[in-house]
Amino acid sequence: MSRASVDTLFAALQDVVGDRVSRVEADIESHSGDHSAYLPARPDVVCFPESAADVVAIVRCCQRMETPVVAYGAGSSLEGHVLPVRGGVSLDMQRMNRVLRVDVEDADCTVQAGVRRKQLNAELEGTGLFFPVDPGADATLGGMAATRASGTSSVRYGTMRDNVVSLQVVLADGRLIETGSRARKSASGYDLTRLFVGSEGTLGIITEVTLRLYPIPTHLVAAVAAFSTLAEAVAVVVQVRQAGIPIARIELLDALMMRGINAHAGLAHPEAPTLFMEFSGGEEEVRRQREWVERRVWAGGGTSFTWASDADERAALWHARHNAHYAAKGLRPGARSKGTDVCVPLSKLTECLARVEQDMADTFLMAPLVGHVGDGNFHLQYLIDPARPEEVAESERLHERLVRHALELGGTCSGEHGVGLGKTRFMQAEHGEALGVLQAIKLALDPQGLLNPGKMLPSSNGTHAEG
């Protein structure tokens, strides 16, 4: 936007939200990026709404002035979701941070979109309930709903898609809607809640989220099992899932990632394909689970197996897992990490990983692997020097191959990180004729294309380079 246009926009927003709009350089800079490998993109102004009414006023102002609006949560997304690639308004939701209601009897709660997941669980202390979806980062719950986030606990509790009961959403024209009721089931109307969960701020701005809560397990035990090959580790995962064992977490890390984890977290696990597992429930239930799984590990080629029932040991283990991104970067100091996020049916995971292993044997790049394998979801982190065109090109080639492997095996280009900027080019191959339906929905709800432009759909994809 021109300086005059920005001046006009700023003045118009001041009229509707007062001092909750900023063009201070520090605010502009801090809302220009996320945790992805994409180059920063600067908004023209930043707004800090404190209520749904503020969001309505801001969105209506932006509609009148044909100005893009990009919702911003914690800035922890990995696919460039919050980058304002066409300028406009960065809508920082973090002041909308109140837990509005907790209902212990119905095991649900309603929060403003800027509430963070750790904050919610802290406020739930003493109720006997918790919110389980854990993507690792302390993200906002509105952002987690917008990206359909999941994480290490989703094998037991599901993803945000499964745990969002209803939403309050501001549409592109400023209308404020509720997408559903708190009833545990409904056969009334289209499922608008699931339409907006995972829409990445391209169809509306989420202002409130109603969530399912769960009883806190009485007993927790973690385990670490090493194997000679990835295939052996995956075979045990398949057995666990086929047997219906309600395991709380089961994560796969390859030998390279284990090297990084050990160095970063000061651990001393074997540098071999490894499963991190957690069992939860009643004491007797957990005992049966752990005995069954331990037998399968040893019978399936496990080379080591250790238990961690102490709370500090478990915390250290999952802290190390959640910091795998930084552990991987430590394998090549100064490198940028280009992440991937495919998901395939569990029955196809061994085949997909075999193809990936061959690709990595044939490349000069380093790319440790980690995955929520109980869901068939895994990530490679290509460690590249963005100043070397050959490394950038090779990472793109490998990413294309990885997604092609996943799609050929009935999978998806994104299990949890979302589409954002980086995966729009795969949407036609994955969705085929259905892509036109997605585009029609976008056009119907946001005809001016002002909500998070350049994301999700290839027809609105803005050119934006990786850094």
Side-chain angles (χ1 to χ4, degrees), residues 96-431:
M96 295 181 63
N97 58 2
R98 291 187 295 127
V99 176
L100 302 174
R101 179 191 60 82
V102 175
D103 192 310
V104 174
E105 187 174 2
D106 286 327
D108 68 11
C109 69
T110 300
V111 302
Q112 288 185 306
V115 171
R116 297 194 182 212
R117 65 175 187 85
K118 289 183 180 179
Q119 174 194 346
L120 174 59
N121 280 321
E123 295 201 30
L124 290 172
E125 285 185 11
T127 66
L129 301 171
F130 82 119
F131 181 67
V133 182
D134 178 3
D138 189 20
T140 62
L141 291 160
M144 288 170 61
T147 56
R148 202 183 296 140
S150 56
T152 59
S153 61
S154 297
V155 67
R156 176 76 177 261
Y157 295 103
T159 70
M160 289 298 285
R161 181 188 67 179
D162 308 297
N163 289 289
V164 174
V165 177
S166 67
L167 298 167
Q168 183 186 79
V169 180
V170 177
L171 301 181
D173 60 7
R175 282 179 292 167
L176 182 67
I177 67 168
E178 303 281 344
T179 65
S181 71
R182 290 174 53 215
R184 283 288 167 161
K185 62 180 182 179
S186 172
S188 171
Y190 300 122
D191 192 344
L192 293 180
T193 300
R194 287 197 173 188
L195 175 64
F196 286 99
V197 171
S199 63
E200 302 183 8
T202 63
L203 301 180
I205 308 295
I206 295 170
T207 52
E208 290 182 12
V209 189
T210 297
L211 298 163
R212 288 193 174 91
L213 304 175
Y214 295 82
I216 296 173
T218 58
H219 200 61
L220 286 170
V221 176
V224 181
F227 298 82
S228 298
T229 67
L230 287 174
E232 289 174 339
V234 172
V236 169
V237 174
V238 173
Q239 291 176 36
V240 169
R241 299 292 278 147
Q242 288 178 337
I245 301 296
I247 196 164
R249 309 192 217 199
I250 185 162
E251 300 286 299
L252 174 67
L253 305 92
D254 72 356
L256 185 57
M257 182 62 84
M258 287 305 299
R259 185 199 308 172
I261 288 279
N262 284 340
H264 186 264
L267 302 177
H269 295 294
E271 292 181 6
T274 298
L275 295 178
F276 285 5
M277 296 172 279
E278 186 171 83
F279 307 85
S280 65
E283 186 171 0
E284 180 60 23
E285 176 190 15
V286 169
R287 184 190 64 79
R288 290 196 301 269
Q289 292 176 25
R290 60 185 284 181
E291 288 178 354
W292 191 94
V293 172
E294 184 171 3
R295 288 196 299 271
R296 294 307 185 277
V297 167
W298 290 120
T303 57
S304 70
F305 193 97
T306 56
W307 290 104
S309 54
D310 176 80
D312 290 339
E313 288 181 294
R314 290 198 317 274
L317 184 69
W318 295 113
H319 180 75
R321 166 60 188 90
H322 285 321
N323 283 283
H325 173 78
Y326 304 103
K329 292 179 70 172
L331 292 166
R332 188 181 177 187
R336 293 293 297 268
S337 172
K338 176 180 171 56
T340 65
D341 176 37
V342 297
C343 188
V344 297
L346 194 57
S347 62
K348 301 297 184 181
L349 184 57
T350 299
E351 182 177 351
C352 192
L353 289 175
R355 296 187 189 186
V356 169
E357 283 189 291
Q358 184 59 57
D359 286 347
M360 296 316 301
D362 296 337
T363 186
F364 59 87
L365 288 186
M366 181 184 293
L369 179 148
V370 65
H372 313 305
V373 285
D375 299 322
N377 180 205
F378 67 91
H379 317 285
L380 286 169
Q381 289 185 235
Y382 304 122
L383 302 176
I384 61 172
D385 179 351
R388 295 178 177 270
E390 68 275 15
E391 294 190 14
V392 175
E394 178 68 353
S395 70
E396 287 297 316
R397 184 186 74 83
L398 291 170
H399 191 193
E400 295 271 357
R401 285 184 60 82
L402 174 62
V403 172
R404 186 161 65 247
H405 296 326
L407 297 183
E408 287 173 356
L409 295 171
T412 175
C413 69
S414 179
E416 61 180 5
H417 293 167
V419 176
L421 284 168
K423 298 190 175 76
T424 57
R425 66 186 186 277
F426 303 131
M427 295 294 277
Q428 180 67 62
E430 178 166 341
H431 295 279

Side-chain angles (χ1 to χ4, degrees), residues 22 24-34 40-48 70-75 82-85 89-94:
S22 172
V24 173
E25 178 61 26
D27 289 332
I28 298 296
E29 181 68 23
S30 66
H31 291 79
S32 298
D34 58 11
R42 292 166 59 87
D44 294 298
V45 299
V46 180
C47 286
F48 300 91
V70 180
Y72 183 99
V82 299
L83 272 62
V85 293
V89 175
S90 180
L91 193 64
D92 189 315
M93 307 296 287
Q94 293 184 90

